[in-house]
Amino acid sequence: MSVFNAYMALSGAFEADVLRDERLSHHTTYRIGGPAALMVTAHSYKALLKTIDILRKEGVEWVVMGRGSNILVADEGYDGCVIKLGKEFSRISFEGDTVSAGGGAILSKLVSETISHSLSGLEFCVGIPGTVGGAVSMDAGTRHDWIGSRVHHVVTLRPQGGLQRYEGSDIEWGYRWCSIPTDEIILEATFQLTPAEKRRITDEMERLISRRRSRQPMGKPSCGSVFKNPGDRSVGQLIDSCGLKGYRVGNAEVSTQHANFIVNLGGASASDVIAVMGHVHDAVLEKYSINLQPEVKCLGFDKRRA
């Protein structure tokens, strides 16, 4: 693997920003994480193809990252390349009752623009951080609404396989996952929405965001929900019943507001978060015999940087 060769080959890439040793704490909502050996922001389809081709030839591992809202990066960082989708993949366009958004478009921006077009259907996404691509890949939503139910079709890039199109009805949607292959990059998603009065849409959004603010620690760095709900049980309630609200290692703490959030009180390390996660997991396993599964994705923990 030659990160240096990849960096040199990509440095002159048209419509791409290339960085070495960029700290990922600057690119995650946790504000945690060491440097990525390489970071490329591809602003066009051509630049994305070139990036993937060069990384493949140089044997450099890569991963696509949106706003880093559901990821914990190791303190040692990531010895591969982080790819971010730039300008061409951030566009949002409306046609009748449908809206198309690039995989790199900010979800909150998409939600706000549906108001100006008097289209209902994505209100439940208000307050959910991240990009459209990330939201689709994990079927983001609430206990009662999921973004997959609004998807008309999705366009992806299959490495060495070209563009793929999936009809929303052909995709399997589940709790925090969908059947789109994980090695494909979501380039664009089109949503089918419903005309509605702007006032009704804004009232519903205000109700939902007020509810989130009252129940979740939105003012502190976190990755959102840490563990998946086991079946129809609330993992937050399970953790709370173990008396773990406020449990702390270093500057990582189980939120006193919502027990399924581990917040960064300032300067927390990834190892602090992992230690808290481990303690929470073991406590719930001991009390309820439930093996909690993480919802947060971890990057850079499988091997240390060379």
Side-chain angles (χ1 to χ4, degrees):
M1 179 179 78
S2 177
V3 171
F4 178 76
N5 287 346
Y7 173 70
M8 294 303 293
L10 288 166
S11 292
F14 180 61
E15 296 182 325
D17 301 324
V18 186
L19 299 170
R20 282 293 309 271
D21 294 317
E22 175 71 3
R23 291 199 66 82
L24 293 176
S25 57
H26 300 156
H27 299 272
T28 66
T29 56
Y30 239 143
R31 300 294 181 259
I32 293 173
L38 197 59
M39 175 176 283
V40 177
T41 302
H43 295 295
S44 69
Y45 179 66
K46 181 178 179 181
L48 180 60
L49 288 178
K50 180 176 181 179
T51 297
I52 293 173
D53 183 54
I54 289 173
L55 294 174
R56 178 182 58 81
K57 289 178 179 177
E58 293 298 332
V60 177
E61 181 182 308
W62 57 270
V63 65
V64 175
M65 181 185 291
R67 300 197 75 189
S69 58
N70 189 40
I71 192 167
L72 176 65
V73 180
D75 299 314
E76 296 79 20
Y78 175 58
D79 61 4
C81 178
V82 168
I83 298 175
K84 296 176 75 71
L85 301 180
K87 298 174 184 176
E88 185 175 301
F89 308 103
S90 300
R91 297 172 181 168
I92 298 173
S93 61
F94 290 81
E95 183 176 349
D97 299 344
T98 65
V99 54
S100 295
I106 305 303
L107 184 61
S108 59
K109 182 179 180 182
L110 170 63
V111 172
S112 65
E113 290 201 15
T114 62
I115 299 175
S116 60
H117 287 78
S118 300
L119 290 175
S120 173
L122 293 178
E123 290 89 336
F124 64 91
C125 289
V126 67
I128 298 178
T131 59
V132 169
V136 170
S137 68
M138 67 175 293
D139 197 11
T142 67
R143 281 190 162 194
H144 309 290
D145 274 303
W146 305 271
I147 201 167
S149 65
R150 309 297 193 269
V151 171
H152 184 272
H153 68 266
V154 177
V155 177
T156 73
L157 171 62
R158 179 181 298 167
Q160 301 186 65
L163 294 174
Q164 310 294 319
R165 175 181 165 125
Y166 298 92
E167 298 302 316
S169 58
D170 293 332
I171 300 171
E172 291 182 48
W173 303 98
Y175 177 55
R176 300 298 180 263
W177 74 279
C178 74
S179 62
I180 296 174
T182 55
D183 64 340
E184 295 184 15
I185 303 172
I186 295 176
L187 302 182
E188 182 181 78
T190 298
F191 304 93
Q192 182 67 57
L193 303 180
T194 305
E197 294 182 0
K198 290 182 182 179
R199 187 63 195 173
R200 187 180 72 78
I201 298 172
T202 55
D203 285 348
E204 178 63 7
M205 286 187 181
E206 288 172 3
R207 183 186 72 81
L208 290 171
I209 197 65
S210 177
R211 185 172 183 269
R212 283 185 187 277
R213 285 174 177 154
S214 67
R215 299 188 178 192
Q216 300 176 2
M218 297 181 69
K220 296 177 181 177
S222 78
C223 68
S225 297
V226 175
F227 295 102
K228 297 178 181 179
N229 286 319
D232 59 356
R233 304 190 69 172
S234 165
V235 67
Q237 291 177 4
L238 292 175
I239 298 170
D240 188 12
S241 71
C242 292
L244 292 176
K245 277 187 175 179
Y247 176 80
R248 176 175 172 177
V249 175
N251 281 323
E253 179 186 75
V254 176
S255 170
T256 56
Q257 193 169 3
H258 192 308
N260 196 27
F261 282 64
I262 297 175
V263 296
N264 178 0
L265 299 177
S269 65
S271 58
D272 291 341
V273 176
I274 291 295
V276 174
M277 288 178 64
H279 182 77
V280 168
H281 172 276
D282 293 348
V284 172
L285 181 63
E286 181 178 355
K287 184 170 183 177
Y288 295 103
S289 298
I290 294 175
N291 183 24
L292 295 180
Q293 298 299 312
E295 184 171 317
V296 59
K297 298 177 181 178
C298 295
L299 181 66
F301 290 90
D302 53 340
K303 54 187 176 181
R304 300 179 69 88
R305 288 169 60 90

